[in-house]
Amino acid sequence: MITAELERAVQAALETIEHPGYKRSLADLGMYGGLSADGESLRLLLRSPDADKKAQIALEAQVRKALSPVELPAKLKIRFEVDESLKPGDDGNRIRGVKNLIAVGSGKGGVGKSTVAANLAAAMALRGLRVGLIDADIYGPSLGRMFGLQGKIPLHGDGKNRIFPVEAHGVKLVSFSFMLENDQAVIWRGPMLGKAVEQFLFQVNWGELDYLIIDLPPGTGDVQLSLAQLVEVDGAVIVTTPQNVALQDASRAIRMFMDVKMPILGVIENMSEFICPECGHVSHIFSRNGGESIAAKYSAPLLGNIPITEAIMQSGEEGVPLAAALKEGPMVEAYFQVIDRLAVEIEKYR
């Protein structure tokens, strides 16, 4: 009776309804308590920040109206349960509903940073985590293509100056590429870049997320500095490849994040080895132990080593992150290891 599609439809409806007392959507407040079978009926549990009966009656009517286009399998009962922990406090410069905000950066291009960010998000979704992904590489946005989304894509709003992200492979995604033709260039100066990042952070209806990942442009420029000034980031993840030229640039990225007081959660060594698709032979075509050495230099953990395979190239061309396509195996396990280590490192800075 209760399917994942039905649950998504209910949660999407809650994102369109604003609580009259707290001026936030029911999704932002975390009021969704789940769907369950109740005899021959369907029960929707809504957690309420307070015991205001008038507000609950009004909200129930709005929920039923919002769900009227949805084909429900049974009669719907709505029950409210008071949970005062949902009362919003002062968020400061946090993003509502987002538990963990992680920046993924690199000192240079060509190290597979966006591929790592895409697969990390897809692996989180496989784990059952609620995850969003911001493609903040304004000049070279590529995450849309990696998720099978190319060219201009219409983005829908909630009528309150906020847009809904696009969802693909269990990941909520916003990319500047959604606003561009495939061959259209972006010619912007620093202040415009900062404004775009601010809108992606605060004018997107992200709902409740366990992780929001920001794929930064390579280098140490305006977008990175804007991010540090705009929002409280739980930490940065540095992506590098093992060879010395990449490590030198990764060092610069680490120093920049340290200078803006952003915690370094760890290093991911991408392209750590090549696995032959025919015989399974492992070759260290880009040297070895580079990620381990730079992590040790800055007293940061090595979060994981990601091999390079032919399947990674194919998945990028096909528009399906490899973690989402494979769902299991050594590559997916490598990303699961990164997720587990990330969770440990984030708690150290709470």
Side-chain angles (χ1 to χ4, degrees), residues 87-346:
K87 283 186 179 180
D90 182 9
D91 290 327
N93 58 348
R94 300 286 300 186
I95 301 174
R96 293 175 182 174
V98 175
K99 293 181 180 178
N100 302 294
L101 181 63
I102 298 173
V104 176
S106 66
K108 67 187 295 293
V111 299
K113 171 186 53 60
S114 294
T115 300
V116 168
N119 280 284
L120 180 59
M124 286 179 171
L126 278 178
R127 275 281 184 89
L129 296 167
R130 299 166 298 181
V131 58
L133 183 57
I134 294 177
D135 187 356
D137 191 352
I138 306 298
Y139 290 126
S142 58
L143 285 177
R145 184 182 184 91
M146 292 182 184
F147 279 83
L149 305 165
Q150 297 189 48
K152 282 189 175 182
I153 294 177
L155 298 174
H156 304 286
D158 61 0
K160 304 177 182 67
N161 201 32
R162 300 178 77 193
I163 61 172
F164 293 107
V166 178
E167 187 166 341
H169 306 293
V171 178
K172 292 182 177 181
L173 176 67
V174 164
S175 173
F176 200 69
S177 65
F178 297 165
M179 307 167 200
L180 303 172
E181 300 294 349
N182 285 331
D183 58 351
Q184 186 176 346
V186 179
I187 309 172
W188 282 11
R189 295 186 183 275
M192 297 176 71
L193 297 175
K195 187 62 178 177
V197 173
E198 182 178 8
Q199 290 175 331
F200 281 175
L201 291 168
F202 296 107
Q203 293 183 355
V204 173
N205 199 332
W206 292 109
E208 296 289 315
L209 294 180
D210 296 300
Y211 288 93
L212 179 57
I213 298 171
I214 307 174
D215 180 38
L216 294 170
T220 55
D222 290 314
V223 172
Q224 287 84 344
L225 294 176
S226 294
L227 179 67
Q229 295 166 354
L230 286 167
V231 69
E232 182 182 336
V233 181
D234 291 286
V237 171
I238 307 300
V239 179
T240 186
T241 50
Q243 67 267 46
N244 286 330
V245 65
L247 297 175
Q248 291 173 8
D249 290 316
S251 290
R252 296 186 181 99
I254 291 174
R255 290 299 316 176
M256 180 207 66
F257 286 122
M258 293 173 68
D259 288 344
V260 298
K261 311 302 181 187
M262 191 179 297
I264 305 298
L265 297 175
V267 175
I268 296 176
E269 184 186 271
N270 194 32
M271 308 183 200
S272 61
E273 57 192 22
F274 172 70
I275 304 174
C276 176
E278 300 297 331
C279 66
H281 177 71
V282 173
S283 302
H284 294 273
I285 57 178
F286 294 123
S287 188
R288 64 171 68 191
N289 299 326
E292 183 177 324
S293 66
I294 195 172
K297 178 180 178 180
Y298 291 100
S299 299
L302 180 65
L303 297 173
N305 300 82
I306 310 297
I308 181 171
T309 68
E310 186 178 354
I312 291 178
M313 177 276 293
Q314 292 172 343
S315 69
E317 291 297 305
E318 294 169 1
V320 181
L322 189 58
L326 295 177
K327 293 185 172 56
E328 59 183 16
M331 179 71 73
V332 177
E333 288 301 321
Y335 279 103
F336 284 170
Q337 182 182 78
V338 171
I339 294 168
D340 291 338
R341 291 177 177 175
L342 261 179
V344 172
E345 293 305 313
I346 288 173

